[in-house]
Amino acid sequence: MSAASDYLENKLLDHVLTSTGYASPNASLYLALFTSDGGLENNTAGSQTEITTSGSAYARQTIAFASASSGSSANSGTVTFSAATANWGTVSHVAIMDASTSGNVLFHGAVTTSKTIETGDTFQVSASNLTISLA
């Protein structure tokens, strides 16, 4: 995953090139699941297709990353979502968010293989399987 949202790109540029500092508003980062990439690049909440939380047992999960090396950083531990209590649809994209609900998209990208999550299924990202790269 190497796509930074417009929001994050602007924050990083301001931080590095101007006197406007940037610090993530929360100490934790969250992994969110989506059924398409709509609204992720420009951080438009109304057009994003995040899995619904209503009666589904879906919730964003905290995610941590190892120190960066050679322009990349990978998740440092396995991230496991709760078993679905209703069909979630087909997960095709993920995003790193700065809040457990609402908040801002920081990084986003397509999963290697889309996964349909039905009642009873879980979604998991093993340690080191989600890499953020800056080019």
Side-chain angles (χ1 to χ4, degrees):
M1 175 184 336
S2 61
S5 68
D6 293 344
Y7 165 84
L8 183 60
E9 290 170 351
N10 292 334
K11 292 292 185 185
L12 292 175
L13 287 170
D14 286 346
H15 179 75
V16 172
L17 302 174
T18 72
S19 60
T20 306
Y22 172 71
S24 179
N26 295 315
S28 297
L29 296 174
Y30 299 87
L31 181 62
L33 307 178
F34 296 83
T35 58
S36 78
D37 65 350
L40 294 176
E41 177 66 25
N42 58 12
N43 203 34
T44 306
S47 62
Q48 293 171 359
T49 59
E50 186 171 6
I51 304 301
T52 183
T53 58
S54 178
S56 68
Y58 169 79
R60 294 176 185 170
Q61 298 298 303
T62 57
I63 187 168
F65 289 87
S67 297
S69 176
S70 301
S72 295
S73 179
N75 61 311
S76 57
T78 297
V79 178
T80 304
F81 287 80
S82 297
T85 57
N87 293 343
W88 290 1
T90 302
V91 176
S92 61
H93 291 77
V94 297
I96 305 302
M97 308 291 290
D98 64 4
S100 61
T101 60
S102 300
N104 298 292
V105 174
L106 302 177
F107 294 98
H108 62 92
V111 297
T112 303
T113 303
S114 295
K115 169 94 171 124
T116 300
I117 304 295
E118 297 178 342
T119 302
D121 292 343
T122 60
F123 188 92
Q124 184 177 73
V125 178
S126 300
S128 300
N129 277 346
L130 191 136
T131 301
I132 307 290
S133 300
L134 294 179

